[in-house]
Amino acid sequence: MSSLIKGMAYVRLTAPDLGRMQAWLEDFGMVPVERTETRLYMRGIGDSPFLHVTELGEPGVASFAYELADPDLLHAAARLPGAQGIDTLDAPGGGKRVRLRDPNGLWIELVTGRERADPLPERPLTRSGEAESRVVGPARVRRIAHTAYMAQNLSEVIDWFHTTLGVIPSDDLVLDEDDLLGRFARVDLGDELVDHHVIFMLRGRRTGMHHVSFEVEGVDDIFFGYDHMLLQGADHVRGIGRHALGSQIFNYWMSPYEQMHEHWISQERLNADSKFNRVRIGEGMSYDTGERPPRRFVEQATPLSVEVNA
């Protein structure tokens, strides 16, 4: 089957201080769009009207939002079990959405019809008469790429995302043949090339968001973004490195409210016919580069803000 969705739209987090969150996200590489007393919208350099929302509240994750693969699928989405019906998205760019909860109570937003924003100018790659081969300042975030979701009920979560959203498996991580640790799942758009995964679902002792990932403008952004974040005293978790699965260059940072964000870029693409692999931890990860993942990274899970009804 083809996927109900074509990719991520935005992530919705919660935090007790929107000003502090805005400052951190600007250092991370985003641009403010709109801020009220209770809500902050941030964008990247691409044409999405926003890709990050922070609601005022206790630290947590409120929802994962996905773009429907076709506007005509909105009414089909509204017929999904537990769907809350179609409503108007009260946010920059407008649009329509359907909301429903996954097996753990995490809100999933399925959106379409958002008015696109004008992309921001790209960084010049040709040196002018006055320029130098140096760049300082934040990385430039282009778009939201994926989330990683830790769950105690991994099999139930995997079944729900496959059945409800129509994602398909790219790679499984296993400890042995019958011991599944995690699944990378991508969207199915037929012959169209897509990212290695739109969600990574992994088993853990807690349930919550492991991280949210944002593609940057170019690989250089990973490196000068790293320097900028360190100069600002940001909380670095892991990187710079390269994941074996997905061929991704990564760097992970923790927000002031224990919500892990990733700078990410990858050139590997898959389509519906790409091979599915089961990869044993250890030998199968021999091409992962960078330092050994710290315990903090492995056990990270931002709690669900299930009370948010945005």
Side-chain angles (χ1 to χ4, degrees):
M1 69 180 271
S2 58
S3 294
L4 184 67
I5 60 172
K6 62 181 179 181
M8 287 212 71
Y10 50 88
V11 66
R12 193 182 296 271
L13 306 182
T14 51
D17 187 330
L18 299 186
R20 188 178 181 194
M21 196 67 173
Q22 177 178 332
W24 188 87
L25 289 169
E26 288 185 76
D27 283 333
F28 185 79
M30 298 187 205
V31 179
V33 177
E34 181 180 304
R35 179 172 153 190
T36 69
E37 291 184 358
T38 60
R39 192 174 296 165
L40 168 68
Y41 295 95
M42 304 289 289
R43 65 167 290 181
I45 65 171
D47 68 354
S48 174
F50 62 92
L51 42 75
H52 193 292
V53 190
T54 308
E55 303 277 352
L56 190 65
E58 292 301 310
V61 54
S63 69
F64 297 162
Y66 300 92
E67 295 274 1
L68 287 167
D70 189 289
D72 292 340
L73 294 172
L74 184 65
H75 291 280
R79 294 192 294 270
L80 290 170
Q84 301 294 298
I86 299 171
D87 62 20
T88 299
L89 191 58
D90 180 18
K96 300 289 186 180
R97 72 172 177 182
V98 169
R99 296 187 308 131
L100 64 161
R101 293 184 190 267
D102 88 328
N104 293 313
L106 173 67
W107 282 110
I108 301 297
E109 302 182 49
L110 304 175
V111 304
T112 192
R114 297 197 298 161
E115 183 178 348
R116 310 315 294 180
D118 292 331
L120 302 181
E122 294 193 355
R123 182 183 300 108
L125 296 180
T126 301
R127 185 190 297 189
S128 70
E130 301 296 327
E132 302 179 49
S133 299
R134 296 185 298 170
V135 179
V136 295
R140 286 161 57 92
V141 167
R142 184 185 299 279
R143 65 180 176 99
I144 186 170
H146 61 261
T147 53
Y149 184 15
M150 181 178 284
Q152 296 167 294
N153 55 337
L154 178 60
S155 295
E156 185 180 8
V157 167
I158 287 174
D159 289 345
W160 189 90
F161 274 86
H162 281 294
T163 301
T164 306
L165 302 186
V167 296
I168 58 176
S170 296
D171 291 303
D172 276 357
L173 292 181
V174 298
L175 295 176
D176 57 47
E177 190 60 31
D178 299 317
D179 193 1
L180 179 63
L181 180 63
R183 172 167 292 178
F184 295 94
R186 67 187 186 278
V187 297
D188 175 3
L189 300 182
D191 292 335
E192 184 176 336
L193 296 176
V194 301
D195 291 342
H196 174 264
H197 59 284
V198 72
I199 189 167
F200 174 45
M201 296 162 281
L202 67 155
R203 190 179 71 207
R205 296 179 181 178
R206 298 184 294 163
T207 293
M209 184 185 77
H210 182 266
H211 72 267
V212 56
S213 178
F214 297 89
E215 182 185 54
V216 293
E217 183 176 25
V219 69
D220 287 344
D221 290 78
I222 302 285
F223 291 88
F224 63 71
Y226 175 74
D227 289 340
H228 177 79
M229 294 286 278
L230 286 184
L231 286 172
Q232 305 310 310
D235 187 0
H236 184 242
V237 181
R238 184 188 179 194
I240 298 171
R242 176 187 175 275
H243 287 310
L245 302 179
S247 188
Q248 343 174 29
I249 310 299
F250 66 80
N251 206 15
Y252 294 92
W253 301 91
M254 197 70 76
S255 83
Y257 303 107
E258 296 297 311
Q259 299 143 327
M260 195 154 67
H261 291 56
E262 179 188 19
H263 282 148
W264 172 96
I265 196 165
S266 173
Q267 296 189 69
E268 183 177 53
R269 296 291 182 267
L270 293 76
N271 62 23
D273 295 326
S274 296
K275 182 183 177 183
F276 166 59
N277 300 293
R278 290 177 63 84
V279 181
R280 187 184 298 272
I281 292 292
E283 63 183 43
M285 304 304 292
S286 59
Y287 297 104
D288 237 4
T289 65
E291 80 282 7
R292 184 180 179 87
R295 178 177 294 274
R296 182 185 185 200
F297 176 86
V298 174
E299 297 180 352
Q300 156 66 16
T302 299
L304 306 185
S305 300
V306 294
E307 74 282 357
V308 171
N309 192 23

